[in-house]
Amino acid sequence: MQVLILTHNILVERPLVEKLQRLNIEVLSSEKILTMLQAKQVPLEVMSFFNVLIASETISDQELTVILEEVGEKFTILRQTDQMPSKEEKTEWEARGVDEWLLEEESLSGLREKLAERTLKESGYSISFGMTQKAENVQEKRPIPLWNLTRSEREMLSTLISTKDAPISRNDLAIKIWGDSDSASHMTRLSTIIKHLRNKLKIDGVEYDVIRTNWGEGYQLSKVFFDHYVVDDRIMEEIKTGN
């Protein structure tokens, strides 16, 4: 596991860095990458190295919102805090893309277990993918697991399939799904739906980047999706109706 800590002060993060290193986890604490994310200049060659991002307590809620909008759907996001948020706040942030909470004085064992839970999920995805890759050599394309998708996820998938030849912007996606793109909550929900859809397809054996993010352009299904699943008029009708 590789962890990136986004912070305004790397000195503040020393205790957390030391705990992560004691767990034999590769970790980088960076203010520079935080600044680049806020400027919407995501360094893809660097970001691709990490699979867990920790948002430091030094980062404001407004800054965290920007981070979640930029990369929340592609990473496991942990928020560091001095106290657990209320139930309502927790629900709201988790809907935006926060996966877990780290207390300022998190014990080594607590940190270990929270990260272990994420590691087990990722391992399950990887094993599934490896087995599917092997099977694909002898099996035909398979049905899309519609039974596991919510209505919003089906609508998202239907739109991405119908616009497969070019990326579709976040604004256009919101219009397709909800009829408008003016609502800030819609923009937040888009990232959450993309994240959940990626995870569900990955569990089914498709690589995590099956939904590509073309920075500055929008989202697009990768070729592996169409190599993996049957997509025809009947399937499209099932996606739209949920039957």
Side-chain angles (χ1 to χ4, degrees), residues 22-46:
R22 287 175 63 187
L23 294 172
N24 199 30
I25 292 174
E26 295 180 83
V27 56
L28 172 66
S29 181
S30 176
E31 188 274 336
K32 178 64 175 179
I33 296 179
L34 171 61
T35 300
M36 296 179 74
L37 280 171
Q38 291 172 323
K40 300 185 183 297
Q41 297 174 345
V42 184
L44 294 181
E45 67 283 358
V46 176

Side-chain angles (χ1 to χ4, degrees), residues 47-206:
M47 298 297 290
S48 62
F49 181 73
F50 302 97
N51 43 36
V52 173
L53 302 187
I54 296 179
S56 167
E57 190 180 2
T58 63
I59 295 175
S60 69
D61 287 349
Q62 184 176 358
E63 290 170 321
L64 178 58
T65 298
V66 173
I67 292 170
L68 293 172
E69 290 174 351
E70 286 297 296
V71 298
E73 74 277 6
K74 293 183 73 66
F75 299 92
T76 294
I77 307 291
L78 281 66
R79 173 57 155 162
Q80 191 177 30
T81 181
D82 60 348
Q83 60 182 4
M84 290 297 290
S86 66
K87 182 177 180 180
E88 292 75 16
E89 292 173 329
K90 191 171 183 288
T91 299
E92 179 183 348
W93 279 111
E94 288 177 351
R96 295 186 187 186
V98 174
D99 296 291
E100 189 57 86
W101 304 85
L102 291 181
L103 292 173
E104 183 179 5
E105 298 299 328
E106 191 80 49
S107 66
L108 183 63
S109 60
L111 180 61
R112 179 194 64 215
E113 293 306 311
K114 288 181 179 179
L115 291 174
E117 181 182 355
R118 298 294 160 185
T119 303
L120 286 173
K121 290 181 179 179
E122 290 298 320
S123 297
Y125 297 156
S126 299
I127 293 172
S128 173
F129 177 54
M131 293 171 62
T132 304
Q133 282 291 87
K134 182 177 180 180
E136 279 186 48
N137 294 327
V138 296
Q139 292 183 0
E140 296 181 352
K141 294 181 181 181
R142 62 193 299 173
I144 299 169
L146 301 180
W147 61 271
N148 197 28
L149 304 184
T150 65
R151 182 184 63 81
S152 296
E153 289 163 359
R154 290 198 309 271
E155 290 177 350
M156 173 74 73
L157 185 58
S158 173
T159 300
L160 290 172
I161 291 174
S162 64
T163 59
K164 65 178 183 179
D165 294 328
I168 180 170
S169 69
R170 291 168 61 84
N171 282 344
D172 288 344
L173 267 175
I175 291 173
K176 289 275 188 179
I177 296 175
W178 296 293
D180 71 80
S181 62
D182 295 330
S183 172
S185 64
H186 286 171
M187 292 295 99
T188 298
R189 286 185 63 194
L190 277 179
S191 294
T192 302
I193 294 170
I194 287 287
K195 184 172 187 175
H196 290 170
L197 187 54
R198 275 193 178 116
N199 282 336
K200 289 179 180 180
L201 293 177
K202 187 168 184 178
I203 291 172
D204 195 52
V206 189

Side-chain angles (χ1 to χ4, degrees), residues 12-26:
V12 173
E13 312 307 329
R14 279 185 176 176
L16 177 57
V17 170
E18 290 175 358
K19 287 179 183 177
L20 290 167
Q21 290 173 338
R22 287 175 63 187
L23 294 172
N24 199 30
I25 292 174
E26 295 180 83

